[in-house]
């Protein structure tokens, strides 16, 4: 029997979606187009037929020029294209000339020991872990925010890059580094209610990128105000996640897309406590969600991870093993690929270092005020 009772039925999804703040009609959220462009570059000549999901597509996060995980607001890491006589390099993440802050640890396996799941459900270990994480999230203090303020997120990010033979036809893509490349800092400012222009900086000394306003928020591209308006019931919230994802990414199945959407929101947002708790409980109901007993974020911090496979890749949300607070996210190869990547190779890695409420874009939080 293939029934999956925890997964919302189509009719329920559509009904719940009608009760939520409706996103504007459009083909794809703005950041999604950037996400797919970046995914196309990264997936050239890979064994898997599934596209990768970067940490951040984090939805709007990236604009074409600026571009961990994956925008919708998926984290699109600075993408650049350069052609030479001998090779063309497609960089998913362009690393600046500044000294590296740290280097992500290569995974010798796809991320430690992975829990096993029953048919059509998250693994029991994942349900238990996410329930504990939800309790921690619910117990945090709600931030005091005003509509004219900004949510500030600071992180370290890494993205794999590839080089392609200049001969063109038949030339195979190969990774441009060994998977232990350097990270770079990333800072983003998002308007609390979307009425003011956001800002993104990824290289010290360079001007920031204007992210524009977000007057049509959705689960794909949330504002703090939008998140605070969502239902705190995990079933209703998961129904909304599935409903708003219908047809958004044809390269992921609905369960994979739901996991990625929740992960995007967790990575570069400041969550109202009850909404954060509800999202973790909702994730525990998604088929294919497992636990990885040891994973490392982009700043080298070890933690326990909640994971899900999509094609030949595994996305992992990483949490502190003791405090169960969110550390970061990474995507690794499950099996070797034709570009020379070995199982466990890091494709994208992020580490969130600060979250805070500030008064204007470009402003850093006062000492002791960031979380």
């Amino acid at each position: 029997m293939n029934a999956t009772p925890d997964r919302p039925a189509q009719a329920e999804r559509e009904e719940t979606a009608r009760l939520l703040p409706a996103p504007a009609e459009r083909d794809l959220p703005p950041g999604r187009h950037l996400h797919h462009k970046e995914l196309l570059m990264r997936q050239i000549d890979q064994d898997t037929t599934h596209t990768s999901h970067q940490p951040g597509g984090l939805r709007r996060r990236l604009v074409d020029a600026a571009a961990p995980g994956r925008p919708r607001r998926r984290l699109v890491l600075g993408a650049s294209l350069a052609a030479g006589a001998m090779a063309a390099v497609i960089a998913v993440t362009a690393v600046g000339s500044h000294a590296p802050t740290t280097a992500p640890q290569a995974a010798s396996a796809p991320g430690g020991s992975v829990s096993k799941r029953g048919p059509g459900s998250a693994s029991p270990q994942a349900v238990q872990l996410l329930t504990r994480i939800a309790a921690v999230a619910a117990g945090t203090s709600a931030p005091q925010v005003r509509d004219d303020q900004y949510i500030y997120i600071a992180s370290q990010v890494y993205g794999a890059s590839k080089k392609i033979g200049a001969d063109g036809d038949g030339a195979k893509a190969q990774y441009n580094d060994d998977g232990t490349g350097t990270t770079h800092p990333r800072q983003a400012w998002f308007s609390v209610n979307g009425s003011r222009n956001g800002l993104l900086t990824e290289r010290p000394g360079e001007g920031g990128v204007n992210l524009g306003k977000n007057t049509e928020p959705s689960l794909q591209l949330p504002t703090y105000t939008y998140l605070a308006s969502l239902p705190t019931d995990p079933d209703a919230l998961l129904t909304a996640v599935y409903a708003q994802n219908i047809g958004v990414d044809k390269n992921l199945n609905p369960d994979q897309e739901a996991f990625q959407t929740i992960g995007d929101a967790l990575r570069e947002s400041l969550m109202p406590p009850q909404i954060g708790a509800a999202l973790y409980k909702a994730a525990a109901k998604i088929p294919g969600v497992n636990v990885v007993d040891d994973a490392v974020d982009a700043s080298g911090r070890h933690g326990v991870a909640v994971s899900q496979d999509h094609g030949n890749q595994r996305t992992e949300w990483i949490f502190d093993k003791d405090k169960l607070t969110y550390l970061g996210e990474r995507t690794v190869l499950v099996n070797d690929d034709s570009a020379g990547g070995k199982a466990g190779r890091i494709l994208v890695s992020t580490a969130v270092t600060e979250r805070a409420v500030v008064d204007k874009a470009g402003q850093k939080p006062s000492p002791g005020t960031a979380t």
Side-chain angles (χ1 to χ4, degrees), residues 19-370:
L19 300 177
L20 292 171
E25 293 293 330
R26 57 193 177 207
D27 179 22
L28 289 177
R32 263 301 196 180
H33 294 283
L34 300 174
H35 170 55
H36 286 296
K37 177 181 178 180
E38 187 254 338
L39 292 183
L40 175 61
M41 291 191 292
R42 277 182 42 193
Q43 289 300 321
I44 292 177
D45 196 43
Q46 287 203 6
D47 290 331
T48 178
T49 58
H50 296 267
T51 54
S52 69
H53 182 279
Q54 291 192 9
L58 284 172
R59 312 165 206 198
R60 136 182 75 193
R61 312 188 171 189
L62 296 172
V63 295
D64 196 27
R70 201 195 262 60
R72 291 159 163 178
R73 180 163 310 160
R74 294 190 178 156
L75 184 65
V76 175
L77 304 174
S80 66
L81 176 63
M86 297 300 295
V89 177
I90 294 182
V92 174
T93 301
V95 179
S97 59
H98 61 284
T101 302
T102 184
Q105 177 176 321
S108 57
S113 175
V114 181
S115 62
K116 299 216 175 148
R117 62 183 173 86
S121 65
S123 70
Q125 295 93 327
V127 173
Q128 181 181 48
L129 177 59
L130 284 164
T131 299
R132 293 171 58 208
I133 292 171
V136 170
T140 60
S141 299
Q144 299 298 311
V145 299
R146 302 190 310 267
D147 284 347
D148 62 343
Q149 292 181 304
Y150 285 81
I151 303 302
Y152 168 76
I153 309 292
S155 57
Q156 289 289 325
V157 298
Y158 162 80
S161 60
K162 284 185 177 181
K163 59 183 177 181
I164 301 175
D167 293 339
D169 293 345
K172 288 190 174 183
Q174 295 292 318
Y175 289 102
N176 201 41
D177 60 28
D178 62 2
T180 59
T182 57
T183 67
H184 66 270
R186 174 185 173 89
Q187 298 176 92
W189 289 262
F190 302 107
S191 171
V192 166
N193 66 0
S195 65
R196 291 168 171 75
N197 291 332
L199 178 67
L200 171 70
T201 64
E202 288 203 74
R203 283 159 188 78
E206 294 185 6
V209 176
N210 186 339
L211 295 179
K213 299 176 182 179
N214 185 6
T215 57
E216 299 171 352
S218 67
L219 285 165
Q220 269 67 27
L221 188 61
T223 61
Y224 182 88
T225 300
Y226 181 84
L227 289 170
S229 74
L230 295 175
T232 57
D233 175 74
D235 291 309
L237 188 52
L238 185 58
T239 295
V241 170
Y242 276 100
Q244 290 199 18
N245 278 334
I246 294 174
V248 171
D249 192 335
K250 295 179 173 58
N251 296 298
L252 299 175
N253 68 39
D255 300 325
Q256 293 165 343
E257 182 66 0
F259 186 81
Q260 298 293 352
T261 291
I262 293 175
D264 288 346
L266 295 173
R267 185 175 44 258
E268 276 190 331
S269 298
L270 184 61
M271 284 284 164
Q274 296 304 316
I275 297 301
L279 282 172
Y280 289 125
K281 290 179 181 178
K285 299 173 180 289
I286 299 174
V289 175
N290 304 301
V291 170
V292 177
D293 60 9
D294 184 55
V296 186
D297 71 8
S299 65
R301 298 175 297 189
H302 284 257
V304 61
V306 175
S307 72
Q308 189 192 62
D309 291 2
H310 45 100
N312 190 32
Q313 299 179 20
R314 173 170 299 142
T315 295
E316 302 169 352
W317 307 341
I318 307 171
F319 300 86
D320 184 278
K321 290 184 179 181
D322 298 318
K323 298 178 182 178
L324 297 181
T325 51
Y326 182 93
L327 297 180
E329 179 185 301
R330 72 177 183 179
T331 298
V332 302
L333 286 178
V334 176
N335 300 300
D336 297 354
D337 70 3
S338 63
K342 300 298 182 182
R345 189 192 203 286
I346 298 171
L347 299 179
V348 176
S349 182
T350 66
V352 176
T353 55
E354 287 185 295
R355 300 180 194 261
V357 179
V358 296
D359 291 333
K360 59 183 181 180
Q363 180 183 17
K364 303 287 186 63
S366 302
T369 60

